[in-house]
mmCIF file of all heavy atoms in Angstrom:
data_model
loop_
_atom_site.group_PDB
_atom_site.id
_atom_site.type_symbol
_atom_site.label_atom_id
_atom_site.label_comp_id
_atom_site.label_asym_id
_atom_site.label_seq_id
_atom_site.Cartn_x
_atom_site.Cartn_y
_atom_site.Cartn_z
ATOM 1 N N LEU A 403 -116.544 -127.352 -182.698
ATOM 2 C CA LEU A 403 -117.155 -126.477 -183.713
ATOM 3 C C LEU A 403 -118.573 -126.913 -184.046
ATOM 4 O O LEU A 403 -119.481 -126.095 -184.182
ATOM 5 C CB LEU A 403 -116.324 -126.485 -185.006
ATOM 6 C CG LEU A 403 -114.955 -125.810 -184.999
ATOM 7 C CD1 LEU A 403 -114.296 -125.971 -186.364
ATOM 8 C CD2 LEU A 403 -115.077 -124.332 -184.652
ATOM 9 N N VAL A 404 -118.755 -128.227 -184.171
ATOM 10 C CA VAL A 404 -120.070 -128.761 -184.529
ATOM 11 C C VAL A 404 -121.049 -128.537 -183.386
ATOM 12 O O VAL A 404 -122.143 -127.982 -183.582
ATOM 13 C CB VAL A 404 -119.972 -130.264 -184.895
ATOM 14 C CG1 VAL A 404 -121.359 -130.867 -185.062
ATOM 15 C CG2 VAL A 404 -119.141 -130.455 -186.161
ATOM 16 N N GLU A 405 -120.641 -128.926 -182.174
ATOM 17 C CA GLU A 405 -121.567 -128.866 -181.033
ATOM 18 C C GLU A 405 -121.933 -127.445 -180.631
ATOM 19 O O GLU A 405 -123.046 -127.193 -180.183
ATOM 20 C CB GLU A 405 -120.970 -129.625 -179.835
ATOM 21 C CG GLU A 405 -121.057 -131.123 -180.051
ATOM 22 C CD GLU A 405 -120.305 -131.922 -179.006
ATOM 23 O OE1 GLU A 405 -119.709 -131.310 -178.092
ATOM 24 O OE2 GLU A 405 -120.318 -133.170 -179.112
ATOM 25 N N SER A 406 -120.996 -126.520 -180.785
ATOM 26 C CA SER A 406 -121.272 -125.135 -180.381
ATOM 27 C C SER A 406 -122.044 -124.369 -181.458
ATOM 28 O O SER A 406 -122.479 -123.249 -181.215
ATOM 29 C CB SER A 406 -119.948 -124.417 -180.111
ATOM 30 O OG SER A 406 -119.179 -124.402 -181.304
ATOM 31 N N GLY A 407 -122.165 -124.982 -182.631
ATOM 32 C CA GLY A 407 -122.843 -124.278 -183.727
ATOM 33 C C GLY A 407 -121.921 -123.304 -184.453
ATOM 34 O O GLY A 407 -122.335 -122.606 -185.382
ATOM 35 N N ILE A 408 -120.649 -123.252 -184.027
ATOM 36 C CA ILE A 408 -119.715 -122.300 -184.642
ATOM 37 C C ILE A 408 -119.407 -122.681 -186.089
ATOM 38 O O ILE A 408 -119.230 -121.828 -186.947
ATOM 39 C CB ILE A 408 -118.422 -122.192 -183.792
ATOM 40 C CG1 ILE A 408 -118.746 -121.536 -182.455
ATOM 41 C CG2 ILE A 408 -117.344 -121.393 -184.524
ATOM 42 C CD1 ILE A 408 -117.597 -121.486 -181.482
ATOM 43 N N LEU A 409 -119.392 -123.979 -186.362
ATOM 44 C CA LEU A 409 -119.092 -124.415 -187.731
ATOM 45 C C LEU A 409 -120.103 -123.839 -188.716
ATOM 46 O O LEU A 409 -119.736 -123.295 -189.757
ATOM 47 C CB LEU A 409 -119.062 -125.949 -187.819
ATOM 48 C CG LEU A 409 -118.631 -126.486 -189.182
ATOM 49 C CD1 LEU A 409 -117.204 -126.094 -189.513
ATOM 50 C CD2 LEU A 409 -118.762 -128.008 -189.243
ATOM 51 N N THR A 410 -121.378 -123.941 -188.354
ATOM 52 C CA THR A 410 -122.428 -123.396 -189.217
ATOM 53 C C THR A 410 -122.221 -121.903 -189.435
ATOM 54 O O THR A 410 -122.351 -121.401 -190.553
ATOM 55 C CB THR A 410 -123.810 -123.635 -188.568
ATOM 56 O OG1 THR A 410 -123.817 -124.950 -188.019
ATOM 57 C CG2 THR A 410 -124.928 -123.481 -189.562
ATOM 58 N N LYS A 411 -121.870 -121.202 -188.346
ATOM 59 C CA LYS A 411 -121.636 -119.757 -188.461
ATOM 60 C C LYS A 411 -120.446 -119.466 -189.354
ATOM 61 O O LYS A 411 -120.456 -118.527 -190.140
ATOM 62 C CB LYS A 411 -121.393 -119.151 -187.071
ATOM 63 C CG LYS A 411 -122.657 -119.019 -186.248
ATOM 64 C CD LYS A 411 -122.386 -118.245 -184.964
ATOM 65 C CE LYS A 411 -123.502 -118.471 -183.966
ATOM 66 N NZ LYS A 411 -123.034 -118.590 -182.575
ATOM 67 N N LYS A 412 -119.397 -120.269 -189.196
ATOM 68 C CA LYS A 412 -118.194 -120.067 -190.017
ATOM 69 C C LYS A 412 -118.508 -120.241 -191.498
ATOM 70 O O LYS A 412 -118.046 -119.479 -192.332
ATOM 71 C CB LYS A 412 -117.105 -121.081 -189.627
ATOM 72 C CG LYS A 412 -116.307 -120.670 -188.414
ATOM 73 C CD LYS A 412 -115.049 -121.534 -188.306
ATOM 74 C CE LYS A 412 -114.149 -121.042 -187.195
ATOM 75 N NZ LYS A 412 -112.741 -121.003 -187.549
ATOM 76 N N VAL A 413 -119.270 -121.271 -191.803
ATOM 77 C CA VAL A 413 -119.610 -121.532 -193.205
ATOM 78 C C VAL A 413 -120.464 -120.385 -193.752
ATOM 79 O O VAL A 413 -120.268 -119.936 -194.879
ATOM 80 C CB VAL A 413 -120.321 -122.893 -193.367
ATOM 81 C CG1 VAL A 413 -120.820 -123.079 -194.785
ATOM 82 C CG2 VAL A 413 -119.364 -124.024 -192.993
#
Side-chain angles (χ1 to χ4, degrees):
L403 290 178
V404 171
E405 286 171 0
S406 61
I408 293 175
L409 185 64
T410 318
K411 285 188 197 142
K412 278 194 173 223
V413 173

